Structure formats: C-alpha cells, structure tokens
Amino acid sequence: MAQLWGGRFTKETDQLVYDFNASITFDKRLLPQDIRGSKAHATMLAAVGVITEEERDSILAGLDGILADATSGALEITTKYEDVHSFVEANLIDRIGDAGKKLHTGRSRNDQVALDMRLYIRGEVSALEERVLDLMKTLQSLMAENLDTYMPGFTHLQKAQPVSFSHHIGAYMEMFKRDFGRLTDIYQRLNYCPLGAGALAGTTYPLDRNLTASLLGFTGPTLNSMDSVSDRDYCIELLSACATIMMHLSRFSEEIILWNSNEYGFIELDDAYSTGSSIMPQKKNPDIAELVRGKTGRVYGALTSLLTTMKGIPLAYNKDMQEDKELTFDAIDTVKNCLTLFNGMIATMQLRKDTMAVSAMRGFTNATDAADYLVKKGVPFRDAHGIIGRLVLYCIEKNSAIDELTLEELQAIDPHFEQDIFDAISLKTCVEARNTIGAPGPVPMKAVIAENAAFLESLTIDPA
C-alpha cells in the first residue's frame, strides 16, 4: 500500500478499508493535471527560495518522465497506490531521491485534488464548448438550406400552424446558444487557483500564490483557504449545464424518433446512425436518438447525487467529496459522446420535404390564416373562428384539406370566401406572411441566420 501518511498509526489499514478509501481506479485520469500542478508548485517553490533551482530542475524532469512513461504504458498505475497523488510522489522519490520528498512542501492533498479537479473541469468545459459549437454549425446549415421547407408546427403534439423546417430547427439553435453561454460562464467562475490553501488554513511557507495561478493560466488565486478545498460548486454547475444540454438533446431526439416513424415519415436517418432488428427484417431503428434520450437520466442522476452529497458537509474538506469524481467523469463522457453522435446523425439525415408539406396541409395548419382571411373581409374574429371551425368539421367528414375544397363548397359555408382564399391559405403564404422578428417568415429568418453567423464567428473557446 503506497500511502502519503502513516506515522500516526501503529498498524496497517485493513485491506477492505484501504480499498474502500482508495480512489486510484478512477482518479488516475487526473494524472496530466496532477503533473501540471506539481510542476507549477515546484517552480513557485524555487522562485520563493523554499527549494533550490537544482532541486526544481530534478523534480520537473522526474515529473515529465513519469507522465511520459505512464502515457506510453511503460509505467503502470496500479491499485498499489491509494490515489494518483501518491502514485506520482512515490515514483518521483524512487527516481530522483530526496529532492522528490520536498515537492509536497506547503501543499496538502486537499488543495492538490481541488486544483486537479479545476484543471480537469476547465479542460472539459472547453471540450464541451467545441462540441456544442460543432452542433450549432450543423443547425445553422440546416436553417440556411430549408427556408422554404414547410412542415406542421405543433402544440400539445397536435398540428397547429405551418412553419418552415428552418424555423423549427432555429428553436434548438437558441437552446444550444444558451448552453454555450452557460459553459462560458462556468469557465469564468471556476478559473481561480486553490493551490496554496493547504489542508484548510494556508501555510507558513512564503508561497507566491499569484505566481502559481499565473503559471497554470488561472485568473488569480482563490481568496479563502477553507472554501478553496471544500468548494465543488464548479462541478455542480457543470453537471447542471450538462443536464440542460442533455434535456435539449433529449427533446430533439424525441422529435427525431417521431419524424423517423412510418406514421410521420418526415426524415430518413442514415444507415450509419441506425440499427436493424434481430427478427424483423424491415426495421430501421433510431437507436442513437433513443440512447441519447435514455442517457439523459444518467446525467440527471449525477447532478442529483452530487447535490445530495454536498448538502450536509460542514467546512472544510470531508472524504464524502471524493464522490465528486466518478459522477462528474461519467456525466462529461456521456454528454461529449451524445453531442458528437447526435451531430453526426442530424448532419446525415435526409428530409422528406413533400411528406412534411402534405402533413401540414392535411393537419388544417392553415385554419388560423383562413380565419384571418375572413377578418380582413370584415367578419368579426369570433364569428370567423366559428365559421372556420365548421369548415374544418366539414373537411374532416369529407376527408379533405381546406385547400382541396372548391370555391362553391367554401361559399356554401360562408359567402365572404372569394377566389383569393386559395392563395391566402397556401403554405407558402401562411409562412411568408409572418414577418415579425422571431417568426418563421423568410425575412426575419434570414436576419436571424445572419445574426447566428456573426454569433458563431465571434465565439472563442478558452484554452484548457
């Protein structure tokens, strides 16, 4: 058992206790961050005279060697070590001797793990931003290509009014724009360095925390040593943002699943993003969309678990907080994979534009426009509403769309109908007449697409 403590104890830890307490099986993924933080700490210790420049150089070379060997597989990270920190320190001492024993001067595992997690989360925020940005670029292309692709818009999952596919996709674009903004906000709040906080009360060594923060690319050092080691808000915030991203992906996936069904037939998913049935040869299943929808609960669970873990913890560090890692690691991995696969799925799907248009026509989505037509002919809106209600009932009985009726049939219901009714309630007119900002008409949609293009061009992803 490789431990960083033991002088206080007179016998070995029970193996079950050791295994229960150890975190090496999952925190080994923090090795690059642990090495990076240790190099910055050693550089700072030399700068303030706590260690010599020769000791610093020996430590830095030893740390680089450990990372290189662990990455290549020449050095194995095993359960012999309690955690990634003990793995690094034990191997450093084996390689460079007494100089390695000085690395931990002025540092506790409490501020060390807090640093590693911040460095890791910071890098993962950037990785998530890249994937959200890629998805937004795909959505932008779909919007630009489908200004005149008409489909039914829904409320209560009932056909309501016609919209363009561009407009429908634009709703998800707005969601993911907000997601990107949340990730950016999280990055700014977490980007403060806890190293130097010690176990909870700082240290008597003359550490230069500003130098350490600068070396690691942080905005500055954290300002309270107790909060530094016991804060996991940045993990909770990220899990909350991840849960929201998954909620948006899940809503979109639900629509993909519906659109892909035989009953809708709005889209056909590419073979590369579909699967078949082991017994039914005709099946082409939207498994990626279903898995994204299903994995949303997994990410929700991580957020709920960490909130529950943190709710009763007094200041400062407690071992409960070790539970932050597996939850956070799994949620991040899940969201990154879902974003990548979902983006590939929608980028390759084929639209059945004719089917969409027929569905809009057959769903009486132009009924509101027919009522507006009568209002413009002088009929009070409430009366027009009732007239169109009777018209829809007539069409249902005849199994016909409003557009498919003759002028004589329309005038039999109300004499205000004239030949121009057919143009007034065409899908093209219904969509193009809606030209207030945020509406599906081509004028506001082109403006939104241009604004989105400028927005995407302006985005920068902070370095990890």
Side-chain angles (χ1 to χ4, degrees):
M1 301 178 187
Q3 300 173 154
L4 301 180
W5 49 274
R8 160 69 174 80
F9 292 77
T10 59
K11 64 179 182 179
E12 286 288 316
T13 305
D14 182 90
Q15 185 62 47
L16 286 175
V17 173
Y18 178 84
D19 292 343
F20 189 67
N21 189 61
S23 59
I24 190 68
T25 56
F26 51 85
D27 72 9
K28 61 185 178 182
R29 79 160 65 189
L30 296 176
L31 177 63
Q33 289 77 23
D34 200 75
I35 295 289
R36 183 178 178 187
S38 292
K39 290 177 67 176
H41 187 64
T43 300
M44 180 275 298
L45 289 177
V48 298
V50 172
I51 62 175
T52 66
E53 292 184 357
E54 291 76 16
E55 289 170 330
R56 175 201 63 198
D57 293 343
S58 180
I59 289 171
L60 296 182
L63 291 171
D64 284 338
I66 290 169
L67 180 60
D69 289 347
T71 302
S72 70
L75 178 61
E76 185 180 1
I77 304 177
T78 70
T79 54
K80 167 186 173 184
Y81 304 95
E82 181 182 1
D83 53 35
V84 69
H85 321 299
S86 58
F87 166 80
V88 171
E89 187 166 338
N91 279 279
L92 183 66
I93 293 169
D94 285 345
R95 292 181 178 213
I96 69 171
D98 285 346
K101 297 178 182 179
K102 297 186 178 183
L103 174 60
H104 208 55
T105 307
R107 184 174 71 170
S108 164
R109 274 196 302 182
N110 293 356
D111 60 341
Q112 188 177 1
V113 70
L115 171 69
D116 290 0
M117 279 299 286
R118 282 186 187 248
L119 288 172
Y120 178 81
I121 295 297
R122 190 174 71 178
E124 293 304 303
V125 167
S126 297
L128 285 164
E129 284 179 326
E130 289 176 358
R131 285 164 174 77
V132 172
L133 179 56
D134 288 342
L135 177 56
M136 288 192 293
K137 289 177 179 177
T138 298
L139 296 177
Q140 174 77 344
S141 295
L142 287 170
M143 290 174 68
E145 294 165 4
N146 289 284
L147 286 166
D148 57 356
T149 300
Y150 303 124
M151 65 176 291
F154 296 82
T155 62
H156 309 282
L157 210 56
Q158 302 289 311
K159 294 175 185 177
Q161 292 178 298
V163 296
S164 65
F165 187 73
S166 176
H167 190 64
H168 194 111
I169 292 298
Y172 288 104
M173 181 68 157
E174 294 302 312
M175 297 180 201
F176 292 113
K177 283 162 66 176
R178 293 192 294 270
D179 288 328
F180 192 96
R182 273 184 279 270
L183 292 170
T184 301
D185 291 344
I186 292 166
Y187 188 102
Q188 298 303 320
R189 271 190 294 279
L190 75 84
N191 199 35
Y192 290 85
C193 183
L195 197 58
L200 81 160
T203 177
T204 58
Y205 292 100
L207 306 185
D208 186 345
R209 294 194 62 211
N210 284 296
L211 174 58
T212 306
S214 176
L215 290 170
L216 293 169
F218 286 104
T219 303
T222 52
L223 299 181
N224 184 282
S225 57
M226 295 180 77
D227 181 61
S228 299
V229 298
S230 62
D231 169 38
R232 292 298 183 272
D233 287 2
Y234 54 94
C235 291
I236 292 170
E237 281 195 77
L238 180 59
L239 290 178
S240 177
C242 284
T244 305
I245 291 170
M246 289 301 295
M247 179 264 289
H248 292 154
L249 288 174
S250 184
R251 293 182 70 181
F252 205 162
S253 291
E254 174 69 9
E255 297 207 290
I256 293 294
I257 293 163
L258 289 171
W259 294 346
N260 186 68
S261 67
N262 295 333
E263 286 71 18
Y264 278 76
F266 287 3
I267 63 169
E268 180 171 354
L269 296 177
D270 190 85
D271 287 355
Y273 292 90
S274 305
T275 62
S277 165
S278 63
I279 189 172
M280 296 170 285
Q282 83 279 13
K283 295 294 294 296
K284 186 176 181 181
N285 300 324
D287 280 13
I288 296 303
E290 290 173 353
L291 281 169
V292 169
R293 186 177 61 181
K295 288 180 182 292
T296 299
R298 184 180 186 135
V299 178
Y300 285 6
L303 172 59
T304 302
S305 294
L306 188 53
L307 282 168
T308 304
T309 297
M310 294 299 298
K311 76 175 183 63
I313 298 180
L315 290 174
Y317 181 81
N318 294 266
K319 194 68 172 183
D320 316 45
M321 294 167 66
Q322 183 170 289
E323 287 297 296
D324 64 343
K325 294 174 189 61
E326 287 179 285
L327 296 167
T328 304
F329 295 161
D330 183 75
I332 291 171
D333 291 346
T334 299
V335 178
K336 287 197 300 186
N337 287 337
C338 286
L339 282 166
T340 299
L341 288 166
F342 188 89
N343 188 26
M345 178 181 65
I346 65 168
T348 56
M349 69 182 180
Q350 298 297 312
L351 305 185
R352 293 175 172 169
K353 300 182 181 182
D354 291 344
T355 303
M356 289 182 179
V358 169
S359 179
M361 292 171 61
R362 284 283 175 174
F364 306 111
T365 59
N366 52 5
T368 301
D369 294 85
D372 290 341
Y373 170 88
L374 291 176
V375 170
K376 292 171 184 176
K377 295 292 185 179
V379 180
F381 178 77
R382 189 51 57 201
D383 292 341
H385 189 281
I387 292 167
I388 299 304
R390 294 195 299 274
L391 177 60
V392 169
L393 183 60
Y394 175 80
C395 289
I396 291 172
E397 293 171 347
K398 191 178 178 181
N399 192 27
S400 173
I402 297 174
D403 317 57
E404 295 170 338
L405 299 179
T406 65
L407 181 59
E408 289 74 19
E409 287 176 298
L410 291 168
Q411 289 178 336
I413 292 173
D414 188 272
H416 290 91
F417 286 116
E418 299 177 17
Q419 187 63 39
D420 60 349
I421 179 61
F422 297 105
D423 180 64
I425 63 172
S426 71
L427 292 182
K428 187 174 188 295
T429 300
C430 290
V431 173
E432 290 188 354
R434 288 173 162 78
N435 279 316
T436 55
I437 189 67
V443 173
M445 281 305 303
K446 287 177 182 177
V448 168
I449 289 169
E451 188 171 321
N452 285 344
F455 169 76
L456 295 174
E457 185 66 27
S458 73
L459 294 180
T460 56
I461 296 176
D462 291 309

